[in-house]
């Protein structure tokens, strides 16, 4: 094996200082992202690059500080950066259904404002975590899928979306709307990803009921001839939800509408042992000097019930940092080193509380908190680089 340091030099932009926006957000966000930032800094020292961090407030903390979930200047800072590293958003303080401003509005505005139309949510099951999943271990063998969630359209953004007075009292409307271009670009991206993997694409819809799904399905069929090497199947979202648990290993790339993707990805996280294991990358068309502009966040929320207690699992955030290195910063070697370090600490038995709960039995395991899990990843990363350099 080559020295990892010289391997890094063969990567894009060794010696570069990347401009990153750092968004701790609400709840457990600040804790998990602090661990992720330390891992990225260490990877930078090992592989010869660095970061200029610009910290901004978005979400509940921004409502507290500025009265709005996100200021225009902070959106502009995100647009100017090489990438955005994001913790979590949401605060029960703003859960009142009548509230005019909500933390989540900021995340949606950020996704839309940055044109991040595709959310990539890889789901793999680390072999030693099979016991952490409530799903039978034999079903988890070979699970390796990429959920591609459309992120800037559909039910999340359709207008009108409101509560109003009708002739029969209160009535409410949400709108599921897509242009064909919006569908085509995310479908094409999913085909491209499938081409680089096991060449199977599952498009998920509700075409037996929804017009939007019938157009979605038509467009998948229209794009299909451009990718003759990729096998395509259509599944209805309800049946797909069931197959995800019954036979999860059949999936390679899944592509679906915004809300379906939101729901199916939380469901899929059960396979991985915990919601705290799944990273995500949100990308669009915009490129930077090093790769695609993007936003990187764990798929979990702000978990206010466990915030501030050093118990949250930082691995989804750390793995999101690895995705950022790969997709936005051109540092594939460093990304792989972080992913290997995460696999090693799990193999060594380090477990945050979420990964212990379903087994109950902690024999041979090392229960740790957020910071200690981050430290374990740092130590492993460092040890691997020293071993690599000595070779
Ligand atoms: C996610 C989250 C968000 C979403 C919330 C926090 C708005 O659940 O990223 O999956 O629904 O998209
Ligand atoms: Mg979600």
């Amino acid at each position: 094996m080559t020295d990892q340091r010289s391997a890094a030099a063969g990567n894009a932009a060794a010696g570069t200082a990347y401009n990153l926006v750092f968004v701790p957000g609400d709840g457990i966000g600040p804790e998990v992202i602090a661990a992720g930032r330390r891992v990225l800094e260490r990877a930078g020292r090992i592989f010869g690059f660095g970061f200029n961090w610009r910290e901004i407030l978005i979400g509940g903390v921004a409502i507290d500080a500025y009265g709005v979930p996100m200021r225009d200047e902070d959106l502009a800072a995100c647009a100017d950066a090489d990438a955005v590293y994001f913790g979590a958003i949401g605060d029960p303080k703003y859960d009142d259904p009548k509230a005019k401003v909500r933390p989540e509005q900021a995340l949606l505005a950020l996704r839309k404002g940055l044109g991040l139309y595709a959310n990539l949510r890889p789901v793999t099951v680390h072999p030693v975590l099979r016991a952490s999943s409530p799903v039978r271990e034999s079903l988890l063998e070979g699970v390796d899928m990429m959920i591609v969630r459309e992120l800037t359209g559909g039910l999340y953004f359709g207008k009108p979306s409101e509560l109003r007075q009708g002739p029969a009292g209160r009535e409410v409307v949400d709108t599921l709307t897509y242009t064909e271009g919006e569908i085509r670009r995310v479908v094409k991206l999913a085909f491209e990803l499938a081409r680089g993997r096991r060449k199977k694409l599952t498009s998920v819809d509700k075409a037996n009921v929804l017009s939007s799904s019938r157009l979605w399905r038509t467009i998948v069929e229209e794009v299909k001839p451009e990718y003759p090497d990729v096998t395509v199947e259509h599944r209805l979202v309800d049946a797909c939800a069931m197959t995800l648990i019954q036979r999860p290993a059949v999936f390679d790339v899944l592509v679906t509408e915004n809300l379906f993707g939101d729901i199916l990805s939380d469901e899929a996280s059960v396979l991985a042992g915990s919601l705290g294991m799944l990273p995500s990358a949100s990308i669009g068309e915009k490129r930077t000097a090093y790769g695609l502009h993007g936003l990187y966040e764990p798929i979990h929320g702000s978990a206010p019930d466990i915030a501030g207690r050093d118990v949250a699992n930082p691995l989804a955030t750390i793995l999101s940092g690895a995705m950022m290195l790969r997709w936005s910063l051109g540092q594939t070697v460093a990304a792989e080193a972080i992913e290997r370090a995460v696999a090693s600490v799990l193999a060594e038995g380090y477990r945050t509380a979420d990964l212990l709960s379903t087994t109950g039995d902690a024999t041979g395991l090392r229960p740790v908190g957020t910071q200690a899990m981050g430290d374990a990843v740092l130590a492993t990363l460092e040890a691997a680089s020293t071993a690599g350099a000595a070779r």
Side-chain angles (χ1 to χ4, degrees), residues 89-90 104-105 107-108 111 119 121 149 151 156 258-259 261-262 265-266 280 297-301:
I89 217 164
E104 290 79 4
Q105 290 165 338
L107 181 55
L108 303 191
R111 290 167 175 172
N119 183 219
R121 299 187 159 185
R149 168 187 177 192
L151 203 59
Y156 273 62
N258 202 343
L259 181 65
D262 178 48
S265 55
D266 268 30
S280 86
E297 54 172 330
I299 84 157
H300 62 69

PDB file of all heavy atoms in Angstrom, residues 89-90 104-105 107-108 111 119 121 149 151 156 258-259 261-262 265-266 280 297-301, ligand 1:
ATOM      1  N   ILE A  89     -31.810  20.278  13.162  1.00  0.00           N
ATOM      2  CA  ILE A  89     -32.684  21.418  13.334  1.00  0.00           C
ATOM      3  C   ILE A  89     -34.011  20.984  13.947  1.00  0.00           C
ATOM      4  O   ILE A  89     -34.465  19.861  13.707  1.00  0.00           O
ATOM      5  CB  ILE A  89     -32.868  22.101  11.952  1.00  0.00           C
ATOM      6  CG1 ILE A  89     -32.927  23.599  12.092  1.00  0.00           C
ATOM      7  CG2 ILE A  89     -34.057  21.571  11.243  1.00  0.00           C
ATOM      8  CD1 ILE A  89     -32.709  24.287  10.778  1.00  0.00           C
ATOM      9  N   GLY A  90     -34.609  21.850  14.767  1.00  0.00           N
ATOM     10  CA  GLY A  90     -35.919  21.553  15.356  1.00  0.00           C
ATOM     11  C   GLY A  90     -35.886  21.735  16.864  1.00  0.00           C
ATOM     12  O   GLY A  90     -34.936  21.313  17.526  1.00  0.00           O
ATOM     13  N   GLU A 104     -37.713  24.349  11.094  1.00  0.00           N
ATOM     14  CA  GLU A 104     -37.596  23.513   9.889  1.00  0.00           C
ATOM     15  C   GLU A 104     -37.698  24.331   8.602  1.00  0.00           C
ATOM     16  O   GLU A 104     -37.164  23.929   7.562  1.00  0.00           O
ATOM     17  CB  GLU A 104     -38.683  22.427   9.881  1.00  0.00           C
ATOM     18  CG  GLU A 104     -38.500  21.327  10.926  1.00  0.00           C
ATOM     19  CD  GLU A 104     -38.931  21.742  12.336  1.00  0.00           C
ATOM     20  OE1 GLU A 104     -39.458  22.861  12.513  1.00  0.00           O
ATOM     21  OE2 GLU A 104     -38.726  20.937  13.275  1.00  0.00           O
ATOM     22  N   GLN A 105     -38.373  25.491   8.682  1.00  0.00           N
ATOM     23  CA  GLN A 105     -38.495  26.328   7.477  1.00  0.00           C
ATOM     24  C   GLN A 105     -37.110  26.701   6.938  1.00  0.00           C
ATOM     25  O   GLN A 105     -36.918  26.848   5.735  1.00  0.00           O
ATOM     26  CB  GLN A 105     -39.273  27.614   7.799  1.00  0.00           C
ATOM     27  CG  GLN A 105     -40.749  27.370   8.079  1.00  0.00           C
ATOM     28  CD  GLN A 105     -41.418  28.567   8.750  1.00  0.00           C
ATOM     29  OE1 GLN A 105     -40.754  29.407   9.368  1.00  0.00           O
ATOM     30  NE2 GLN A 105     -42.737  28.632   8.642  1.00  0.00           N
ATOM     31  N   LEU A 107     -34.314  24.907   7.058  1.00  0.00           N
ATOM     32  CA  LEU A 107     -33.668  23.807   6.332  1.00  0.00           C
ATOM     33  C   LEU A 107     -34.275  23.684   4.933  1.00  0.00           C
ATOM     34  O   LEU A 107     -33.570  23.503   3.938  1.00  0.00           O
ATOM     35  CB  LEU A 107     -33.828  22.509   7.120  1.00  0.00           C
ATOM     36  CG  LEU A 107     -33.186  21.257   6.530  1.00  0.00           C
ATOM     37  CD1 LEU A 107     -31.694  21.468   6.262  1.00  0.00           C
ATOM     38  CD2 LEU A 107     -33.382  20.069   7.463  1.00  0.00           C
ATOM     39  N   LEU A 108     -35.603  23.837   4.857  1.00  0.00           N
ATOM     40  CA  LEU A 108     -36.260  23.743   3.555  1.00  0.00           C
ATOM     41  C   LEU A 108     -35.833  24.896   2.651  1.00  0.00           C
ATOM     42  O   LEU A 108     -35.538  24.703   1.464  1.00  0.00           O
ATOM     43  CB  LEU A 108     -37.782  23.710   3.720  1.00  0.00           C
ATOM     44  CG  LEU A 108     -38.346  22.591   4.603  1.00  0.00           C
ATOM     45  CD1 LEU A 108     -39.861  22.510   4.469  1.00  0.00           C
ATOM     46  CD2 LEU A 108     -37.736  21.242   4.285  1.00  0.00           C
ATOM     47  N   ARG A 111     -32.284  24.191   1.422  1.00  0.00           N
ATOM     48  CA  ARG A 111     -32.255  23.199   0.347  1.00  0.00           C
ATOM     49  C   ARG A 111     -32.718  23.829  -0.965  1.00  0.00           C
ATOM     50  O   ARG A 111     -32.097  23.663  -2.011  1.00  0.00           O
ATOM     51  CB  ARG A 111     -33.159  22.012   0.695  1.00  0.00           C
ATOM     52  CG  ARG A 111     -32.620  21.146   1.838  1.00  0.00           C
ATOM     53  CD  ARG A 111     -33.681  20.182   2.354  1.00  0.00           C
ATOM     54  NE  ARG A 111     -33.148  19.270   3.370  1.00  0.00           N
ATOM     55  CZ  ARG A 111     -33.902  18.431   4.085  1.00  0.00           C
ATOM     56  NH1 ARG A 111     -35.206  18.376   3.906  1.00  0.00           N
ATOM     57  NH2 ARG A 111     -33.355  17.638   4.973  1.00  0.00           N
ATOM     58  N   ASN A 119     -31.086  14.278  -2.619  1.00  0.00           N
ATOM     59  CA  ASN A 119     -30.582  13.920  -1.303  1.00  0.00           C
ATOM     60  C   ASN A 119     -30.177  12.447  -1.349  1.00  0.00           C
ATOM     61  O   ASN A 119     -31.007  11.570  -1.582  1.00  0.00           O
ATOM     62  CB  ASN A 119     -31.699  14.168  -0.283  1.00  0.00           C
ATOM     63  CG  ASN A 119     -31.284  13.897   1.153  1.00  0.00           C
ATOM     64  OD1 ASN A 119     -32.073  13.369   1.928  1.00  0.00           O
ATOM     65  ND2 ASN A 119     -30.089  14.264   1.517  1.00  0.00           N
ATOM     66  N   ARG A 121     -28.947   9.163   0.412  1.00  0.00           N
ATOM     67  CA  ARG A 121     -28.930   8.546   1.738  1.00  0.00           C
ATOM     68  C   ARG A 121     -28.490   7.085   1.629  1.00  0.00           C
ATOM     69  O   ARG A 121     -29.311   6.195   1.417  1.00  0.00           O
ATOM     70  CB  ARG A 121     -30.319   8.657   2.384  1.00  0.00           C
ATOM     71  CG  ARG A 121     -30.724  10.119   2.555  1.00  0.00           C
ATOM     72  CD  ARG A 121     -31.989  10.331   3.335  1.00  0.00           C
ATOM     73  NE  ARG A 121     -32.013  11.706   3.852  1.00  0.00           N
ATOM     74  CZ  ARG A 121     -32.926  12.206   4.654  1.00  0.00           C
ATOM     75  NH1 ARG A 121     -33.932  11.467   5.047  1.00  0.00           N
ATOM     76  NH2 ARG A 121     -32.839  13.437   5.088  1.00  0.00           N
ATOM     77  N   ARG A 149     -33.505  10.733  -2.682  1.00  0.00           N
ATOM     78  CA  ARG A 149     -34.742  11.432  -2.348  1.00  0.00           C
ATOM     79  C   ARG A 149     -34.771  12.771  -3.078  1.00  0.00           C
ATOM     80  O   ARG A 149     -33.847  13.569  -2.917  1.00  0.00           O
ATOM     81  CB  ARG A 149     -34.775  11.640  -0.823  1.00  0.00           C
ATOM     82  CG  ARG A 149     -35.836  12.580  -0.337  1.00  0.00           C
ATOM     83  CD  ARG A 149     -35.680  12.856   1.166  1.00  0.00           C
ATOM     84  NE  ARG A 149     -36.674  13.822   1.579  1.00  0.00           N
ATOM     85  CZ  ARG A 149     -36.671  14.446   2.748  1.00  0.00           C
ATOM     86  NH1 ARG A 149     -35.722  14.189   3.637  1.00  0.00           N
ATOM     87  NH2 ARG A 149     -37.607  15.317   3.037  1.00  0.00           N
ATOM     88  N   LEU A 151     -35.502  16.488  -3.397  1.00  0.00           N
ATOM     89  CA  LEU A 151     -35.432  17.300  -2.179  1.00  0.00           C
ATOM     90  C   LEU A 151     -35.993  18.722  -2.296  1.00  0.00           C
ATOM     91  O   LEU A 151     -36.129  19.396  -1.281  1.00  0.00           O
ATOM     92  CB  LEU A 151     -33.964  17.365  -1.706  1.00  0.00           C
ATOM     93  CG  LEU A 151     -33.712  17.677  -0.246  1.00  0.00           C
ATOM     94  CD1 LEU A 151     -34.370  16.659   0.679  1.00  0.00           C
ATOM     95  CD2 LEU A 151     -32.224  17.765   0.061  1.00  0.00           C
ATOM     96  N   TYR A 156     -43.448  18.949  -0.047  1.00  0.00           N
ATOM     97  CA  TYR A 156     -42.767  19.877   0.861  1.00  0.00           C
ATOM     98  C   TYR A 156     -42.845  21.326   0.382  1.00  0.00           C
ATOM     99  O   TYR A 156     -42.686  22.240   1.173  1.00  0.00           O
ATOM    100  CB  TYR A 156     -41.292  19.496   1.001  1.00  0.00           C
ATOM    101  CG  TYR A 156     -41.010  18.471   2.066  1.00  0.00           C
ATOM    102  CD1 TYR A 156     -41.548  17.188   1.988  1.00  0.00           C
ATOM    103  CD2 TYR A 156     -40.186  18.776   3.146  1.00  0.00           C
ATOM    104  CE1 TYR A 156     -41.267  16.240   2.949  1.00  0.00           C
ATOM    105  CE2 TYR A 156     -39.903  17.832   4.114  1.00  0.00           C
ATOM    106  CZ  TYR A 156     -40.452  16.564   4.006  1.00  0.00           C
ATOM    107  OH  TYR A 156     -40.158  15.631   4.971  1.00  0.00           O
ATOM    108  N   ASN A 258     -40.036  13.502  -2.679  1.00  0.00           N
ATOM    109  CA  ASN A 258     -39.545  14.073  -1.423  1.00  0.00           C
ATOM    110  C   ASN A 258     -40.121  13.419  -0.158  1.00  0.00           C
ATOM    111  O   ASN A 258     -39.377  12.892   0.678  1.00  0.00           O
ATOM    112  CB  ASN A 258     -39.867  15.580  -1.469  1.00  0.00           C
ATOM    113  CG  ASN A 258     -38.998  16.399  -0.544  1.00  0.00           C
ATOM    114  OD1 ASN A 258     -38.362  15.873   0.368  1.00  0.00           O
ATOM    115  ND2 ASN A 258     -38.970  17.707  -0.766  1.00  0.00           N
ATOM    116  N   LEU A 259     -41.440  13.403  -0.011  1.00  0.00           N
ATOM    117  CA  LEU A 259     -42.026  12.881   1.233  1.00  0.00           C
ATOM    118  C   LEU A 259     -41.860  11.353   1.336  1.00  0.00           C
ATOM    119  O   LEU A 259     -41.551  10.834   2.414  1.00  0.00           O
ATOM    120  CB  LEU A 259     -43.511  13.252   1.330  1.00  0.00           C
ATOM    121  CG  LEU A 259     -44.204  12.759   2.613  1.00  0.00           C
ATOM    122  CD1 LEU A 259     -43.623  13.423   3.857  1.00  0.00           C
ATOM    123  CD2 LEU A 259     -45.704  13.020   2.563  1.00  0.00           C
ATOM    124  N   GLY A 261     -39.445   9.697   0.188  1.00  0.00           N
ATOM    125  CA  GLY A 261     -38.029   9.481   0.526  1.00  0.00           C
ATOM    126  C   GLY A 261     -37.740   9.788   1.981  1.00  0.00           C
ATOM    127  O   GLY A 261     -36.934   9.118   2.630  1.00  0.00           O
ATOM    128  N   ASP A 262     -38.397  10.792   2.509  1.00  0.00           N
ATOM    129  CA  ASP A 262     -38.250  11.132   3.930  1.00  0.00           C
ATOM    130  C   ASP A 262     -38.667   9.941   4.785  1.00  0.00           C
ATOM    131  O   ASP A 262     -37.953   9.525   5.704  1.00  0.00           O
ATOM    132  CB  ASP A 262     -39.109  12.356   4.247  1.00  0.00           C
ATOM    133  CG  ASP A 262     -39.045  12.740   5.718  1.00  0.00           C
ATOM    134  OD1 ASP A 262     -37.928  12.825   6.258  1.00  0.00           O
ATOM    135  OD2 ASP A 262     -40.118  12.948   6.325  1.00  0.00           O
ATOM    136  N   SER A 265     -36.521   6.570   4.180  1.00  0.00           N
ATOM    137  CA  SER A 265     -35.139   6.573   4.692  1.00  0.00           C
ATOM    138  C   SER A 265     -35.092   6.406   6.204  1.00  0.00           C
ATOM    139  O   SER A 265     -34.195   5.749   6.731  1.00  0.00           O
ATOM    140  CB  SER A 265     -34.364   7.805   4.219  1.00  0.00           C
ATOM    141  OG  SER A 265     -35.021   8.987   4.552  1.00  0.00           O
ATOM    142  N   ASP A 266     -36.054   6.952   6.918  1.00  0.00           N
ATOM    143  CA  ASP A 266     -36.098   6.667   8.367  1.00  0.00           C
ATOM    144  C   ASP A 266     -36.377   5.190   8.599  1.00  0.00           C
ATOM    145  O   ASP A 266     -35.786   4.552   9.473  1.00  0.00           O
ATOM    146  CB  ASP A 266     -37.191   7.489   9.077  1.00  0.00           C
ATOM    147  CG  ASP A 266     -36.672   8.812   9.632  1.00  0.00           C
ATOM    148  OD1 ASP A 266     -35.727   9.366   9.028  1.00  0.00           O
ATOM    149  OD2 ASP A 266     -37.210   9.289  10.650  1.00  0.00           O
ATOM    150  N   SER A 280     -26.031  11.835   5.103  1.00  0.00           N
ATOM    151  CA  SER A 280     -26.632  12.205   3.827  1.00  0.00           C
ATOM    152  C   SER A 280     -25.874  13.337   3.160  1.00  0.00           C
ATOM    153  O   SER A 280     -25.173  14.114   3.808  1.00  0.00           O
ATOM    154  CB  SER A 280     -28.107  12.582   3.992  1.00  0.00           C
ATOM    155  OG  SER A 280     -28.262  13.935   4.326  1.00  0.00           O
ATOM    156  N   GLU A 297     -25.482  16.406   6.089  1.00  0.00           N
ATOM    157  CA  GLU A 297     -26.125  16.336   7.407  1.00  0.00           C
ATOM    158  C   GLU A 297     -26.519  14.897   7.712  1.00  0.00           C
ATOM    159  O   GLU A 297     -26.805  14.112   6.815  1.00  0.00           O
ATOM    160  CB  GLU A 297     -27.380  17.225   7.434  1.00  0.00           C
ATOM    161  CG  GLU A 297     -28.363  16.902   6.314  1.00  0.00           C
ATOM    162  CD  GLU A 297     -29.709  17.640   6.416  1.00  0.00           C
ATOM    163  OE1 GLU A 297     -30.137  17.950   7.529  1.00  0.00           O
ATOM    164  OE2 GLU A 297     -30.315  17.851   5.353  1.00  0.00           O
ATOM    165  N   PRO A 298     -26.552  14.559   9.000  1.00  0.00           N
ATOM    166  CA  PRO A 298     -27.100  13.255   9.372  1.00  0.00           C
ATOM    167  C   PRO A 298     -28.584  13.250   9.035  1.00  0.00           C
ATOM    168  O   PRO A 298     -29.206  14.316   9.001  1.00  0.00           O
ATOM    169  CB  PRO A 298     -26.883  13.202  10.884  1.00  0.00           C
ATOM    170  CG  PRO A 298     -26.864  14.641  11.315  1.00  0.00           C
ATOM    171  CD  PRO A 298     -26.224  15.384  10.175  1.00  0.00           C
ATOM    172  N   ILE A 299     -29.185  12.076   8.824  1.00  0.00           N
ATOM    173  CA  ILE A 299     -30.614  12.094   8.482  1.00  0.00           C
ATOM    174  C   ILE A 299     -31.485  12.267   9.727  1.00  0.00           C
ATOM    175  O   ILE A 299     -32.664  12.546   9.631  1.00  0.00           O
ATOM    176  CB  ILE A 299     -31.075  10.845   7.666  1.00  0.00           C
ATOM    177  CG1 ILE A 299     -31.420   9.647   8.545  1.00  0.00           C
ATOM    178  CG2 ILE A 299     -30.106  10.458   6.585  1.00  0.00           C
ATOM    179  CD1 ILE A 299     -32.378   8.677   7.841  1.00  0.00           C
ATOM    180  N   HIS A 300     -30.884  12.109  10.904  1.00  0.00           N
ATOM    181  CA  HIS A 300     -31.688  12.239  12.123  1.00  0.00           C
ATOM    182  C   HIS A 300     -31.980  13.703  12.438  1.00  0.00           C
ATOM    183  O   HIS A 300     -31.368  14.614  11.881  1.00  0.00           O
ATOM    184  CB  HIS A 300     -31.003  11.557  13.308  1.00  0.00           C
ATOM    185  CG  HIS A 300     -29.669  12.148  13.677  1.00  0.00           C
ATOM    186  ND1 HIS A 300     -29.538  13.399  14.218  1.00  0.00           N
ATOM    187  CD2 HIS A 300     -28.410  11.641  13.592  1.00  0.00           C
ATOM    188  CE1 HIS A 300     -28.262  13.635  14.453  1.00  0.00           C
ATOM    189  NE2 HIS A 300     -27.551  12.593  14.076  1.00  0.00           N
ATOM    190  N   GLY A 301     -32.911  13.893  13.358  1.00  0.00           N
ATOM    191  CA  GLY A 301     -33.293  15.237  13.751  1.00  0.00           C
ATOM    192  C   GLY A 301     -32.521  15.712  14.974  1.00  0.00           C
ATOM    193  O   GLY A 301     -31.447  15.186  15.290  1.00  0.00           O
TER     194      GLY A 301
HETATM  195  C1  LIG B   1     -34.970  14.945   7.133  1.00  0.00           C
HETATM  196  C2  LIG B   1     -35.786  15.616   8.212  1.00  0.00           C
HETATM  197  C3  LIG B   1     -36.340  16.922   7.664  1.00  0.00           C
HETATM  198  C4  LIG B   1     -37.221  16.600   6.481  1.00  0.00           C
HETATM  199  C5  LIG B   1     -37.099  17.791   8.698  1.00  0.00           C
HETATM  200  C6  LIG B   1     -36.216  18.138   9.871  1.00  0.00           C
HETATM  201  C7  LIG B   1     -37.651  19.040   8.068  1.00  0.00           C
HETATM  202  O1  LIG B   1     -36.799  14.768   8.646  1.00  0.00           O
HETATM  203  O2  LIG B   1     -33.999  15.554   6.658  1.00  0.00           O
HETATM  204  O3  LIG B   1     -35.301  13.823   6.763  1.00  0.00           O
HETATM  205  O4  LIG B   1     -38.404  16.274   6.656  1.00  0.00           O
HETATM  206  O5  LIG B   1     -36.728  16.662   5.353  1.00  0.00           O
END
